[in-house]
Amino acid sequence: MRLPAAVRERVAAVHGGAGLSERLRLYDGWAACYEQVPGRRAGRMLRFPPLPGASDRRVPQDVAALEYRAPHLAAASLAFAFPAPPAEARLLDVACGTGVVARELHRRGFRCLHGVDGSAGMLERARSTGLYQELRQCVLGREPLPAPAEHYDAVTVVGALGEGQVPSAAVPELLRVTKAGGFLCLTTRSNPSNLRYKAELEAVLEELERQGAWQKVLAQEVERWEKATSEEESTQGTGYISGVVYVYRKCPVPPPEEG
């Protein structure tokens, strides 16, 4: 099924070359329809056939139209890597949007969820889910995360690491707030307009691994990540773009050598 024009326009707008204030305004506007089926009362979700390996569940409208798999895949990957029952783990959902990732994490047993996002409109929707214990406004890349060092057992960034979004140079800030031994789950897209950013991001990830800051747990390429917004972005004419999920584990800082 062809991606609706309105959805294509919203996705293109927030991933375009607009300045920060304009992008935040666009996200504030998107929040109103991001999870609402057009023409139906707020709160009612659209049902569509489950993705392979996923249980049947109610899915937000624009997410359903895009067949956006990143929240499900990221939460599943993090839960698989997590060594203990996650109910007591403190997790930070960066660029949390309206809480789509939180729903997937909650289904997998994560209960202590904090979220940050640059858009006040998105945060208002996230607050209405009741899934977060704490929500703060923060534009990662322009300001530090509102948390002390080594505060979280896990950190997720799903959907925001991309061209025109969170800069790859902000990744060390994610590490700062993660506990030693904690996990970081990141995603990015592999469509043509994001390939330069993806290369820059992977250079940062590899350099941090070379420095011993973290260890790679997995890097999973996914072909049908979400529907493409144009033929140029489509992978080999499939109508979809591809993406990747990364999971890293933060290494403990070695004690200083004596003498």
Side-chain angles (χ1 to χ4, degrees):
M1 183 174 65
R2 185 176 174 81
L3 191 63
V7 179
R8 293 201 308 273
E9 291 168 3
R10 285 192 285 270
V11 174
V14 299
H15 289 283
L20 175 61
S21 60
E22 175 64 10
R23 282 205 315 276
L24 292 177
R25 187 190 68 79
L26 290 167
Y27 272 112
D28 285 344
W30 198 6
C33 59
Y34 191 72
E35 299 193 70
Q36 182 178 338
V37 177
R40 301 183 184 182
R41 67 180 183 273
R44 188 174 180 184
M45 300 294 185
L46 177 70
R47 184 179 292 276
F48 74 101
L51 299 165
S55 60
D56 187 18
R57 61 194 188 280
R58 304 192 79 76
V59 183
Q61 166 63 14
D62 273 11
V63 174
L66 284 164
E67 297 181 21
Y68 182 46
R69 302 179 64 189
H72 163 70
L73 294 166
S77 298
L78 180 61
F80 177 79
F82 218 77
E88 300 301 318
R90 186 187 294 131
L91 183 146
L92 179 64
D93 182 11
V94 178
C96 64
T98 59
V100 178
V101 176
R103 290 187 180 92
E104 295 288 349
L105 291 166
H106 195 269
R107 291 179 59 243
R108 290 163 176 81
F110 291 89
R111 295 292 184 268
C112 185
L113 302 177
H114 295 186
V116 297
D117 199 278
S119 164
M122 289 285 185
L123 286 171
E124 182 180 355
R125 296 281 171 161
R127 190 168 289 110
S128 71
T129 67
L131 296 175
Y132 293 97
Q133 294 188 348
E134 180 180 299
L135 285 165
R136 303 279 293 276
Q137 190 166 7
C138 172
V139 180
L140 182 61
R142 292 293 185 96
E143 53 193 332
L145 291 168
E150 301 201 349
H151 190 62
Y152 290 102
D153 298 288
V155 174
T156 62
V157 188
V158 180
L161 291 170
E163 193 70 44
Q165 305 292 301
V166 174
S168 58
V171 171
E173 176 64 4
L174 305 173
L175 262 171
R176 181 187 68 81
V177 302
T178 307
K179 295 178 181 178
F183 291 85
L184 298 96
C185 182
L186 319 174
T187 74
T188 196
R189 296 169 173 85
S190 302
N191 52 304
S193 64
N194 199 56
L195 289 179
R196 182 179 66 175
Y197 178 94
K198 183 184 177 187
E200 293 173 354
L201 175 65
E202 291 187 336
V204 172
L205 304 184
E206 290 166 8
E207 176 60 19
L208 288 169
E209 187 171 21
R210 188 192 68 78
Q211 294 173 2
W214 60 12
Q215 291 180 324
K216 184 191 294 181
V217 177
L218 67 85
Q220 180 66 52
E221 293 278 354
V222 179
E223 290 186 357
R224 295 200 169 198
W225 187 258
E226 66 181 66
K227 283 192 173 180
T229 57
S230 68
E231 289 298 323
E232 292 77 17
E233 294 292 299
S234 174
T235 302
Q236 298 179 344
T238 62
Y240 292 82
I241 66 170
S242 55
V244 57
V245 180
Y246 312 92
V247 177
Y248 285 86
R249 190 170 194 180
K250 184 175 178 178
C251 297
V253 177
E257 295 182 6
E258 295 184 4

